[in-house]
Amino acid sequence: MRSVVLSLVALGLMASPALALDGQRGFLENCSACHQKDGRGVPGAFPALAGSKVVRGDPKEPLGRILNGRGGMPAFEGELSDPEIASILTYVRGAWGNKAGPILAEQVAGQRKTARRENAKASLQAH
Amino acid sequence: MESQKSTDGLGLSRRSFLEGLGGFGGSSLLMAGMSALGFGIASAQAAPPTLTGGGGKKVVILGAGVAGMTSAYELSKAGYDVTILEARSFAGGRCQTARKGFTSTELGGETQVCDFDDGLYINHGPWRIPYHHHSTLHYTKEFNIPLEVFVNDNDASYVMFDKGKGPMAGKPVRKGEVAADIRGGAAEILAKSIKQGALDQQMTAADRDHLIAYLVKEGYLNNDLAYKGTDGRGFDIWPGAGVNPGPGVVKPPRPFVDVLNSDTWKTLGSVTNYEQQRTMFQPVGGMDRIAKGFEAQVGKYIRYSTQVKSFRQNDKGVEIAYVDGDGKSGTIKADYCICTIPLSVLRQMDIQVSPKFKAAIGEVSYALVGKIGLQMKRRFWEEDHSIYGGHVYFDDPEILTMSLPSTGWQSKKGVILGYYQFGSQAAKVSALSPGERQALAGRAGERVFPGYADSIEKSFSAAWHRIDHNLGGWAQWTDDGRANAYPTLCEPDGRLYLAGEHLSYITGWQAGGIESAWQQIGKLHARVHAA
């Protein structure tokens, strides 16, 4: 893994400081209400992202959850752009002791699908 | 379609053109027939199943929301021995009203104690009842809960759209003006096109005349088929006494292209769908009157502040382990269990069910929902703007709906719903402190009503996804989930029956919870009697 990260750095693909900052801001705005600012979540309610195997593992899994939602988590497919999701997940994979490689916008794009969700339409009224 | 047989060289015949359109009418007649048979799209079940002879069978119900209390009420009447375990210190589930003294601590948030003046409140959960939710109305009637009209549409209220184009963008516009102008403009274009022969090939002369007559009425058109406004959209100088103001001066319409480009017309369909009507109902004094109505009947069966720790079952019965309000552990055994715990919470609990059932529980998302109640110093929306109830539609996704109270008309103060947002916007706003949320709502409201921010005295906000024991506003099924997981969960797993709005097609409404409970207790009862 380390060598992969190093080679990404060498290729200039590593997230730039500016992107990391955007990722942190995006995380604080969109994710921290549940997963908490320190990434520790709330036991029994919101999973911790700090130290999470899912977060650090194959990006397909966390990307799928961000895009399509899962359980109590909403889908962000219609809310966040590919670069936004990439920068947020990159931040999460490198924060609070997590040490996993960055995510590129192309990886997000490759995983988008258009599952229709009830009530997800930008309705002005609900219930 | 039958009418397609009579085509001529031009495609559909003139008669069949209208008959083809009328195919929709045909399907709605079919639907009306289905509704009479109980298969309709309206909230279908108007009364609980008639149950007798429970014979003392023990049923433990998890959750004292409307689904749980409905189950307890009907089963106990039928002779079942029921016990409700409720995690909170009060009954109602999401059927809550925040008034003075109501306390809430969101997960990861600071404690809010509602400090509204006496008599003021916000329904931060369910807040309006459609006329066709017969099940909810069944219990408001049965429990003598007084209702009042909830004004769900108000032509005098504002539409505030920033994202449209043209001179209307970013300005509050009366909804009635938008409605008149878009109808008038569209009717004028269509009527003139027909007059100029646009549908001569498709329609008979008589049908064309009839359609134009409709458009004249629909769009307030004059003899030249032109829309020049209508007094219904308001006056620059209102009519009055004597010669001044005398007849008054009607407000001129806006240019059609401005209204069209503003996108404000997108709000006009919002109260004509299945879920939303122009007038709805609310209980006098707060939605939690419904919870109190149930509680008066079944409160004696409720063990409050009792958190479920695990669920076990075998072919003889069920066993639920819990921790009560004093921190003491215990177990309770019963013949059956009805679980109304939201799936967002249940999926993280220790329950003994089949792998398929367990997987199905994880298949649903829950809505992120945020609301805020703002106590206003004075009812400026009534006093300065002549808006009595209804909503301000705002295309800022952090606001969407500001709602003006349908109660306390012309009294001194009132509580406005300051925002009602969903999804990622709700996630964003819920990361803010209660004070920051109030400030955000104030900044937005200030753009519609000058002086709004300064008028805010107190606020109470709720982010349902961060509220313990709920973790979301309501279930949001995908098509896949409906097809695969949902049917599994509608059937019992051994001796466990799930109930709640999440197991209905009326998700997010109390009627969904009630009717799901009715259906499940009906199944349970049939099983007891078959045994």
Side-chain angles (χ1 to χ4, degrees):
Chain A
M1 183 49 106
R2 177 162 294 271
S3 65
V4 174
V5 173
L6 287 175
S7 64
L8 284 169
V9 173
L11 288 166
L13 291 175
M14 195 71 175
S16 69
L19 189 61
L21 203 62
D22 283 350
Q24 182 177 23
R25 198 177 63 209
F27 172 81
L28 289 173
E29 281 188 4
N30 295 285
C31 320
S32 73
C34 295
H35 295 291
Q36 308 299 308
K37 288 173 183 157
D38 59 6
R40 289 174 192 274
V42 175
F46 310 122
L49 303 181
S52 159
K53 282 182 187 164
V54 173
V55 164
R56 293 175 301 173
D58 184 344
K60 281 206 171 75
E61 185 60 31
L63 280 175
R65 293 187 190 187
I66 294 169
L67 286 168
N68 306 313
R70 181 173 177 274
M73 179 161 165
F76 284 89
E77 60 181 344
E79 317 287 349
L80 297 170
S81 68
D82 294 344
E84 282 169 337
I85 290 174
S87 69
I88 290 170
L89 187 53
T90 297
Y91 167 73
V92 168
R93 281 161 68 91
W96 321 297
N98 290 342
K99 290 191 176 66
I103 302 298
L104 302 173
E106 290 73 24
Q107 287 171 277
V108 186
Q111 219 172 311
R112 276 189 190 270
K113 63 173 186 181
T114 50
R116 197 181 70 82
R117 194 173 300 277
E118 286 177 27
N119 305 328
K121 54 190 178 290
S123 166
L124 283 167
Q125 287 277 32
H127 305 97
Chain B
M1 200 177 291
E2 191 68 28
S3 58
Q4 286 183 350
K5 286 178 184 167
S6 57
T7 53
D8 57 22
L10 295 164
L12 294 179
S13 73
R14 288 168 179 177
R15 176 49 66 186
S16 67
F17 175 76
L18 272 192
E19 285 170 351
L21 294 174
F24 293 106
S27 69
S28 53
L29 282 175
L30 178 64
M31 297 291 272
M34 287 172 68
S35 197
L37 292 169
F39 299 108
I41 54 169
S43 163
Q45 206 175 340
T50 308
L51 313 178
T52 53
K57 285 277 182 194
K58 290 186 71 157
V59 179
V60 171
I61 297 161
L62 309 182
V66 293
M69 291 196 287
T70 295
S71 304
Y73 179 62
E74 298 298 341
L75 287 174
S76 62
K77 279 201 302 182
Y80 286 84
D81 174 1
V82 303
T83 303
I84 308 180
L85 306 184
E86 168 54 48
R88 292 194 174 105
S89 60
F90 61 93
R94 278 159 280 182
C95 176
Q96 299 180 7
T97 296
R99 58 172 73 78
K100 187 188 280 290
F102 186 90
T103 302
S104 164
T105 308
E106 291 170 15
L107 296 168
E110 57 193 82
T111 296
Q112 295 181 73
V113 181
C114 184
D115 190 29
F116 291 157
D117 291 2
D118 288 336
L120 298 180
Y121 63 85
I122 186 77
N123 291 324
H124 54 286
W127 59 316
R128 47 189 164 182
I129 305 171
Y131 71 89
H132 57 63
H133 280 190
H134 308 299
S135 49
T136 309
L137 295 172
H138 168 84
Y139 286 117
T140 53
K141 188 171 181 185
E142 180 144 330
F143 300 150
N144 295 309
I145 298 162
L147 300 176
E148 60 193 355
V149 163
F150 178 101
V151 179
N152 200 37
D153 185 31
N154 186 344
D155 271 351
S157 191
Y158 294 117
V159 181
M160 175 78 183
F161 269 35
D162 282 332
K163 291 181 185 142
K165 296 191 181 76
M168 290 167 68
K171 293 184 191 130
V173 182
R174 302 262 187 190
K175 177 169 167 283
E177 298 177 14
V178 172
D181 292 348
I182 200 75
R183 286 167 69 182
E188 176 177 335
I189 289 168
L190 185 51
K192 285 180 172 170
S193 301
I194 295 168
K195 199 73 177 175
Q196 288 165 14
L199 293 177
D200 281 1
Q201 297 303 314
Q202 289 84 359
M203 295 173 73
T204 64
D207 285 342
R208 292 197 304 268
D209 286 347
H210 211 170
L211 181 53
I212 288 173
Y214 157 70
L215 292 166
V216 166
K217 199 80 179 163
E218 169 71 20
Y220 323 96
L221 307 185
N222 64 17
N223 290 338
D224 300 325
L225 301 182
Y227 170 69
K228 298 291 185 189
T230 170
D231 57 10
R233 67 191 291 294
F235 288 70
D236 280 330
I237 299 171
W238 290 85
V243 293
N244 186 14
V249 179
V250 175
K251 255 188 200 176
R254 291 188 174 81
F256 181 65
V257 66
D258 290 354
V259 183
L260 191 63
N261 288 337
S262 73
D263 284 350
T264 51
W265 45 265
K266 287 183 177 176
T267 62
L268 299 179
S270 65
V271 288
T272 53
N273 62 16
Y274 158 58
E275 292 187 326
Q276 305 283 336
Q277 304 90 45
R278 293 194 166 83
T279 56
M280 298 176 78
F281 291 114
Q282 63 183 9
V284 175
M287 188 57 80
D288 69 345
R289 299 294 187 225
I290 291 182
K292 303 286 183 210
F294 275 107
E295 196 178 19
Q297 304 293 328
V298 303
K300 57 190 175 228
Y301 307 125
I302 302 176
R303 295 192 196 173
Y304 295 95
S305 303
T306 299
Q307 300 212 26
V308 173
K309 289 295 161 192
S310 69
F311 168 85
R312 296 284 176 271
Q313 61 174 329
N314 58 31
D315 57 3
K316 296 203 174 55
V318 301
E319 181 175 302
I320 292 106
Y322 60 83
V323 176
D324 71 14
D326 299 324
K328 283 189 211 139
S329 299
T331 58
I332 181 169
K333 291 183 179 180
D335 297 302
Y336 298 97
C337 178
I338 296 174
C339 176
T340 69
I341 296 170
L343 302 182
S344 49
V345 177
L346 190 64
R347 63 187 285 269
Q348 309 186 57
M349 293 174 64
D350 173 15
I351 54 172
Q352 185 192 345
V353 292
S354 71
K356 185 185 176 192
F357 202 81
K358 180 87 182 165
I361 289 170
E363 281 301 304
V364 66
S365 273
Y366 268 66
L368 285 81
V369 181
K371 287 185 177 179
I372 190 168
L374 307 167
Q375 178 180 315
M376 294 298 189
K377 233 176 254 184
R378 135 183 122 76
R379 296 172 81 97
F380 55 81
W381 57 96
E382 294 178 356
E383 293 168 7
D384 303 346
H385 300 263
S386 301
I387 301 172
Y388 293 83
H391 314 294
V392 174
Y393 297 116
F394 203 144
D395 69 350
D396 176 347
E398 290 183 351
I399 304 296
L400 291 187
T401 303
M402 296 175 188
S403 190
L404 310 165
S406 292
T407 194
W409 313 110
Q410 297 193 315
S411 56
K412 188 162 187 299
K413 299 180 179 182
V415 176
I416 283 182
L417 177 76
Y419 58 62
Y420 186 11
Q421 85 281 98
F422 312 100
S424 71
Q425 303 300 331
K428 269 189 192 178
V429 174
S430 67
L432 304 176
S433 70
E436 290 168 331
R437 296 176 189 175
Q438 177 183 315
L440 177 145
R443 282 193 300 275
E446 189 69 28
R447 299 193 49 215
V448 180
F449 300 103
Y452 184 102
D454 281 347
S455 185
I456 301 172
E457 292 183 326
K458 299 158 184 175
S459 67
F460 178 89
S461 57
W464 281 99
H465 46 287
R466 303 212 319 165
I467 292 178
D468 203 8
H469 314 305
N470 288 109
L471 303 182
W474 52 82
Q476 285 181 307
W477 289 100
T478 58
D479 292 346
D480 274 355
R482 282 286 191 199
N484 301 313
Y486 177 82
T488 301
L489 300 178
C490 288
E491 293 304 318
D493 184 276
R495 291 172 170 264
L496 176 70
Y497 291 74
L498 303 187
E501 54 84 24
H502 45 284
L503 292 176
S504 76
Y505 276 81
I506 324 167
T507 48
W509 296 87
Q510 294 173 102
I514 293 170
E515 289 174 46
S516 166
W518 283 353
Q519 192 167 78
Q520 298 301 66
I521 62 176
K523 283 183 201 167
L524 191 157
H525 186 70
R527 176 169 168 184
V528 165
H529 274 252

